[in-house]
Amino acid sequence: MASATDTAVPASVFDLTGKKIWVAGHRGMVGSAVVRRLGAEPCTVLTADRSRVDLRRQSEVEAWLDVEKPDAIVLAAAKVGGILANSTYPADFIYENLMIEANIIHGAYRAGVKRLLFLGSSCIYPRLAPQPIHEDALLTGPLEPTNEWYAIAKIAGIKLCQAYRAQYGCDFVSAMPTNLYGPGDNFDLKASHVLPALMVKIHKAKQEGLSSVEIWGSGKPQREFLHVDDLADACVHLLRVYAEDVAINVGTGTDVTIRELAEQIAEAVGYTGGFHFDASKPDGTPRKLLDVSHLRRLGWEARYSLKDGIAHTYRWFLENQSNLRA
Ligand code: GFB
């Protein structure tokens, strides 16, 4: 935890007042949370539906930017998924993410956009990076094979921001969130991340009176989980104050094993059965805990505990489950 003496909130480098901010990817879990959070700021939020702008098409992105002329962009658009989706659709994950990033970052430069915040993922770091993972660990070792395609695309996004800053002086920055969850998450078991997947499985097991729930892998990998509303708050903070080259980590600073996560979800759901582990499914990276000291020095910390975040997300799931693919 940062102490009062080592935390010095920097002066704002970008005032949001009166600015037009394009949230690219506003229908996703992250983008929709950023739109909600920016609603509390004195700025105008721009969004573009897929029917109007296909972010994989350069001409459509450039035409949109020419017309709308945003002052800033939060680049939350991405093809995302859990461990199975990542390893099943490597071409989609690398191609779509590279295209979206290249089109928006180059388009932002071309249109004279003043600020851009690119969002990546903690899977950009080497599989066996020292824990907690400091920003310096980038490109110091081999990636986790189950998500290397997505990770390579996200590393390219960081490098695009750094290249346009170096060559053209664009004030484009990157933030690397840890594993995210919350309202608007994907609850489809074939594509989802672990937290929503276990929420669906445990909820169904309770309803059907099952004595055990299947968990992929060994249950031993450790993951750090950040509520998406905390990420959105961090994005607004970084938009205001962060103007450095380094892709900054965004997380809570604590992690749990997958088994512990399942136990916490079971408690929230009120499920009293057990768990069994499917060793035929991959564990992925053994541990992915971010070093968030840089962000703390900038005066930001996550507010949701995992317990409160799971409870909040489960309430959202119960209210919205009839509209979800699960
Ligand atoms: O969340 P998750 O899919 O992705 O899986 P990663 C985390 C851990 O939970 C793995 C285990 O060890 C899974 O085997 N797990 C247990 C499950 N049961 C389940 C289940 O029912 N569904 C899922 N999905 N997992 C992703 C990357 O890695 O993290 C992405 O693939 C991205 O690129 C994302 O970076 C944040 O944390 O392993």
Side-chain angles (χ1 to χ4, degrees):
M1 170 92 58
S3 71
T5 46
D6 62 9
T7 301
V9 181
S12 175
V13 292
F14 186 73
D15 183 359
L16 301 183
T17 308
K19 299 292 184 345
K20 284 202 284 187
I21 303 181
W22 177 26
V23 180
H26 70 288
R27 291 210 178 275
M29 173 175 70
V30 173
S32 55
V34 173
V35 170
R36 285 196 300 278
R37 176 61 187 81
L38 283 172
E41 299 296 327
C43 61
T44 303
V45 177
L46 305 177
T47 58
D49 278 334
R50 191 173 290 207
S51 57
R52 174 143 183 226
V53 187
D54 181 338
L55 300 175
R56 296 164 302 184
R57 307 259 174 251
Q58 185 181 38
S59 56
E60 293 186 26
V61 172
E62 291 186 352
W64 158 263
L65 286 166
D66 285 345
V67 172
E68 300 294 339
K69 301 192 191 323
D71 299 294
I73 300 175
V74 178
L75 207 178
K79 165 97 181 154
V80 299
I83 195 164
L84 187 64
N86 264 267
S87 41
T88 312
Y89 306 109
D92 295 352
F93 274 82
I94 192 163
Y95 171 75
E96 293 193 23
N97 286 303
L98 283 173
M99 295 305 285
I100 292 168
E101 293 155 15
N103 290 340
I104 296 179
I105 294 168
H106 180 73
Y109 151 67
R110 203 179 142 270
V113 173
K114 293 180 203 74
R115 285 281 276 166
L116 182 145
L117 173 62
F118 168 67
L119 294 174
S121 161
S122 57
C123 69
I124 57 158
Y125 292 114
R127 175 171 205 271
L128 299 177
Q131 307 286 318
I133 311 173
H134 190 269
E135 284 89 353
D136 288 351
L138 184 63
L139 294 173
T140 56
L143 297 165
E144 157 61 32
T146 54
N147 60 35
E148 67 173 321
W149 318 98
Y150 178 72
I152 294 273
K154 289 294 181 182
I155 292 169
I158 296 171
K159 292 295 162 192
L160 278 163
C161 290
Q162 291 174 346
Y164 281 80
R165 176 182 289 279
Q167 187 174 339
Y168 299 118
C170 298
D171 194 2
F172 298 170
V173 295
S174 302
M176 297 302 116
T178 192
N179 287 36
L180 300 168
Y181 69 98
D185 209 342
N186 182 350
F187 289 84
D188 174 356
L189 293 181
K190 291 184 294 302
S192 63
H193 290 96
V194 62
L195 194 150
L198 293 184
M199 195 169 276
V200 169
K201 289 186 195 177
I202 292 171
H203 171 79
K204 282 191 176 159
K206 186 190 172 198
Q207 279 188 323
E208 293 165 18
L210 303 182
S211 60
S212 180
V213 171
E214 181 194 85
I215 297 183
W216 295 353
S218 65
K220 291 180 184 151
Q222 288 167 257
R223 294 289 184 273
E224 176 186 13
F225 295 97
L226 179 71
H227 191 286
V228 73
D229 288 342
D230 272 337
L231 172 67
D233 192 61
C235 287
V236 170
H237 188 67
L238 291 171
L239 260 188
R240 282 210 176 92
V241 306
Y242 193 65
E244 295 171 40
D245 207 33
V246 171
I248 188 167
N249 289 340
V250 185
T252 63
T254 55
D255 62 356
V256 290
T257 65
I258 297 303
R259 178 192 275 276
E260 287 164 347
L261 174 72
E263 288 165 356
Q264 289 210 31
I265 295 173
E267 200 182 323
V269 171
Y271 173 70
T272 51
F275 303 109
H276 60 279
F277 295 88
D278 177 358
S280 72
K281 295 284 196 311
D283 270 346
T285 307
R287 194 176 184 201
K288 240 187 327 187
L289 174 65
L290 292 179
D291 179 334
V292 289
S293 51
H294 193 168
L295 185 57
R296 283 184 177 155
R297 282 196 299 278
L298 296 177
W300 189 89
E301 285 200 46
R303 291 197 193 125
Y304 272 96
S305 66
L306 182 56
K307 186 173 189 232
D308 290 348
I310 288 172
H312 180 251
T313 306
Y314 188 52
R315 279 197 301 279
W316 185 90
F317 169 78
L318 291 176
E319 285 160 16
N320 293 277
Q321 60 178 321
S322 54
N323 305 320
L324 300 171
R325 276 184 301 140

